[in-house]
């Protein structure tokens, strides 16, 4: 399985939403499934965003000249062809920005030198920075890359434009440059930047990939295992989410190989276009809205395939109790964390009352590599990935084969 994983990443690399390379990688997984002996594989068409970055440069012109590393946040608009040259204003928080007069912000570039606490708390600056800055009259926004650690790496990700403010260019810079600009700002230096960003945006057709190992007793009831096949356009998408996609693909395939057919169907879904906003999962939910009662449990791996530790579970108290009992079979991989938000794509289904879980693994360094050029196969460890795959397949089998359905809310 690990060799198939590494071959996939080496062959396709980054697989951004709407790209031909993503569609080629989907074809590859369909063919790999059939070649592995499981023929029940289908795809469902999804219209997805297709944002393509081109030239991106940031230069500090005053108080001295410096080229600043930059990465656009999707789907940022372009600057004018000549770029934007403006004075920089540095703030730490939205609250600090709100305290400023519009006259002090208008026409400036805003840098949010936000302090990283956790991804869940800090990512709001990536998502909302452009709109918050535009509301005050800024001409562009920058954020410190959302990461707890940096070796001069830039980290991209999706951001959202509010409808009631102008759309302005927005990008991330390194932690190191963010700190430098703050120090210069605190010392009352006038900082002038020149920002140039070019990109295109349209929509394209992509596909969710669905692989079924039919249940022996209740084939119309599903235990879903999932991960997303798309990635950002930097790095190779090995960690986010090549590993999670591959171990989810592996679950029905390996069970079929060993002729292990649980009572219910084990369905693997390789989501498309997760990165620009859970697009594939949202389309699946919409298309199958009348069939949600058939989903007994839904699982997702989208935060690394490092040393497996257990499951992060969302659902009723009864659902959590049953999963806790199941995990006793997997000691020492038996940790359980209760969460209202245990995953990215699957949160759409959990919000509909479907119980689910994400893979809990030893991913304390995950956000060092996240959405950056550092997301490569070098992050992955063969033993950890194989152990995650074995755990994922086994736990999905047990949940699909127990005597009772997992209770809902």
């Amino acid at each position: 399985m690990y060799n198939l994983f590494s071959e996939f990443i080496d062959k396709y690399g980054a697989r951004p939403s709407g790209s031909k390379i993503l569609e080629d990688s989907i074809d590859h997984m369909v063919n790999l499934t059939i070649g592995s002996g499981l023929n029940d594989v289908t795809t469902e068409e999804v219209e997805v965003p297709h944002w393509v970055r081109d030239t991106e440069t940031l230069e500090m012109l005053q108080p001295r000249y410096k080229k600043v590393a930059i990465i656009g946040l999707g789907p940022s608009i372009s600057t004018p062809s000549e770029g934007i040259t403006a004075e920089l204003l540095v703030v730490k928080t939205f609250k600090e920005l709100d305290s400023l007069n519009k006259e002090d912000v208008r026409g400036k570039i805003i840098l949010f030198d936000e302090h990283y606490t956790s991804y869940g708390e800090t990512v709001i600056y990536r998502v909302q920075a452009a709109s918050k800055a535009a509301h005050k009259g800024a001409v562009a926004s920058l954020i410190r890359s959302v990461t707890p650690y940096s070796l001069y790496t830039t980290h991209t990700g999706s951001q959202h434009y509010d409808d009631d403010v102008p759309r302005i260019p927005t990008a991330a810079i390194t932690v190191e440059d963010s700190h430098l600009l703050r120090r210069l700002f605190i010392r009352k230096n006038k900082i002038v930047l020149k920002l140039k960003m070019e990109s295109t945006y349209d929509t394209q057709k992509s596909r969710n990939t669905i692989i079924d190992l039919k249940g022996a007793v209740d084939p119309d009831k599903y235990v879903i295992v999932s991960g997303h096949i798309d990635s950002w356009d930097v790095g190779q998408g090995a960690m986010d989410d090549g590993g999670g996609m591959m171990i989810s693909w592996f679950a029905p395939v390996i069970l079929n190989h060993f002729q292990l057919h649980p009572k219910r169907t084990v369905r693997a879904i390789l989501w498309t276009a997760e990165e620009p906003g859970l697009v594939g999962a949202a389309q699946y939910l919409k298309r199958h809205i009348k069939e949600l009662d058939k989903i007994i449990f839904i699982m997702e791996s989208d935060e690394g395939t490092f040393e497996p530790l257990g499951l992060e579970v969302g659902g009723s108290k009864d659902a959590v109790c049953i999963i806790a009992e199941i995990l006793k079979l997997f000691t020492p991989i038996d940790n359980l964390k209760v969460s209202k938000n245990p995953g990215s794509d699957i949160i759409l289904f959990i919000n509909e009352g479907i119980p689910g879980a994400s893979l809990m693994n030893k991913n304390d360094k995950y956000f060092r590599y996240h959405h950056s050029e550092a997301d490569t196969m070098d992050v992955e460890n063969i033993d950890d990935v194989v152990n995650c795959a074995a755990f994922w397949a086994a736990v999905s089998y047990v949940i699909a084969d127990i005597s009772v359905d997992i209770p809902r809310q």
Side-chain angles (χ1 to χ4, degrees), residues 292-360:
L292 297 186
D293 60 320
K294 297 179 180 180
I295 303 175
I296 304 307
F297 200 73
I298 187 164
M299 297 159 58
E300 177 182 35
S301 174
D302 187 22
E303 289 193 3
T305 44
F306 303 101
E307 179 186 343
L309 301 175
L311 294 175
E312 184 172 342
V313 182
S316 66
K317 289 183 178 180
D318 289 339
V320 171
C321 287
I322 291 175
I323 298 301
E325 288 299 312
I326 290 172
L327 283 175
K328 291 178 181 179
L329 300 171
F330 295 94
T331 303
I333 310 175
D334 59 356
N335 292 279
L336 184 147
K337 178 182 178 182
V338 178
S339 173
K340 293 181 179 180
N341 186 18
S344 53
D345 287 299
I346 65 170
I347 191 60
L348 302 179
F349 299 84
I350 289 173
N351 287 342
E352 296 290 332
I354 299 169
S358 63
L359 175 66
M360 188 191 304

Side-chain angles (χ1 to χ4, degrees), residues 124-136:
I124 191 172
Y125 285 91
R126 190 190 76 204
V127 175
Q128 297 184 10
S131 293
K132 294 284 190 181
H135 179 73
K136 285 284 190 175

Side-chain angles (χ1 to χ4, degrees), residues 78-355:
S78 302
T79 63
S81 58
E82 69 275 14
I84 294 173
T85 300
E87 187 176 347
L88 180 70
L89 178 63
V90 182
V91 298
K92 276 191 173 292
T93 64
F94 292 149
K95 184 177 180 180
E96 183 179 347
L97 178 65
D98 289 341
S99 69
L100 301 176
N101 295 322
K102 281 192 174 183
E103 291 73 21
D104 296 327
V105 179
R106 186 175 292 114
K108 292 186 171 65
I109 297 172
I110 299 296
L111 167 62
F112 291 93
D113 180 41
E114 74 283 1
H115 176 66
Y116 184 93
T117 53
S118 69
Y119 182 75
E121 291 182 349
T122 311
V123 73
I124 191 172
Y125 285 91
R126 190 190 76 204
V127 175
Q128 297 184 10
S131 293
K132 294 284 190 181
H135 179 73
K136 285 284 190 175
V139 293
S141 69
L142 302 171
I143 65 162
R144 186 171 81 181
S145 285
V146 184
T147 180
Y149 180 83
S150 178
L151 288 174
Y152 206 70
T153 48
T154 55
H155 297 248
T156 190
S158 61
Q159 59 88 31
H160 173 74
Y161 286 123
D162 291 343
D163 293 332
D164 60 346
V165 294
R167 297 187 174 195
I168 62 175
T170 183
I173 63 175
T174 67
V175 171
E176 294 88 340
D177 280 337
S178 185
H179 290 169
L180 167 64
L181 292 170
R182 168 162 281 281
R183 291 195 300 272
L184 292 171
F185 184 77
I186 290 172
R187 294 174 190 141
K188 308 297 184 182
N189 288 278
K190 181 180 180 180
I191 306 169
V192 177
L193 302 180
K194 182 176 182 179
L195 173 68
K196 292 187 72 173
M197 295 174 63
E198 297 176 358
S199 62
T200 60
Y201 181 87
D202 60 8
T203 59
Q204 297 290 333
K205 299 296 183 183
S206 187
R207 295 160 290 166
N208 286 325
T209 306
I210 301 168
I211 304 158
D212 283 349
L213 175 68
K214 292 297 185 184
V217 178
D218 291 314
D220 290 333
K221 293 182 177 181
Y222 299 96
V223 171
I224 294 175
V225 289
S226 67
H228 66 88
I229 192 169
D230 68 302
S231 72
W232 277 102
D233 57 337
V234 291
Q236 299 172 12
M239 180 193 73
D240 183 20
D241 183 34
M245 180 276 296
M246 190 61 72
I247 68 168
S248 296
W249 169 84
F250 182 73
V253 170
I254 195 64
L255 294 176
N256 182 67
H257 175 77
F258 286 113
Q259 298 183 16
L260 296 171
H261 291 265
K263 293 182 177 69
R264 303 167 190 82
T265 294
V266 173
R267 168 170 285 185
I269 302 179
L270 316 183
W271 307 112
T272 195
E274 184 272 347
E275 295 295 2
L278 317 182
V279 179
Q283 285 296 306
Y284 182 93
L285 180 65
K286 182 178 180 181
R287 184 176 280 118
H288 296 271
I289 193 69
K290 295 182 179 179
E291 306 165 19
L292 297 186
D293 60 320
K294 297 179 180 180
I295 303 175
I296 304 307
F297 200 73
I298 187 164
M299 297 159 58
E300 177 182 35
S301 174
D302 187 22
E303 289 193 3
T305 44
F306 303 101
E307 179 186 343
L309 301 175
L311 294 175
E312 184 172 342
V313 182
S316 66
K317 289 183 178 180
D318 289 339
V320 171
C321 287
I322 291 175
I323 298 301
E325 288 299 312
I326 290 172
L327 283 175
K328 291 178 181 179
L329 300 171
F330 295 94
T331 303
I333 310 175
D334 59 356
N335 292 279
L336 184 147
K337 178 182 178 182
V338 178
S339 173
K340 293 181 179 180
N341 186 18
S344 53
D345 287 299
I346 65 170
I347 191 60
L348 302 179
F349 299 84
I350 289 173
N351 287 342
E352 296 290 332
I354 299 169

Side-chain angles (χ1 to χ4, degrees), residues 365-382:
K365 296 180 180 179
Y366 178 81
F367 291 106
R368 296 186 179 189
Y369 314 108
H370 185 249
H371 293 183
S372 79
E373 291 287 3
D375 183 358
T376 70
M377 281 302 298
D378 289 74
V379 177
E380 302 292 337
N381 173 279
I382 184 171

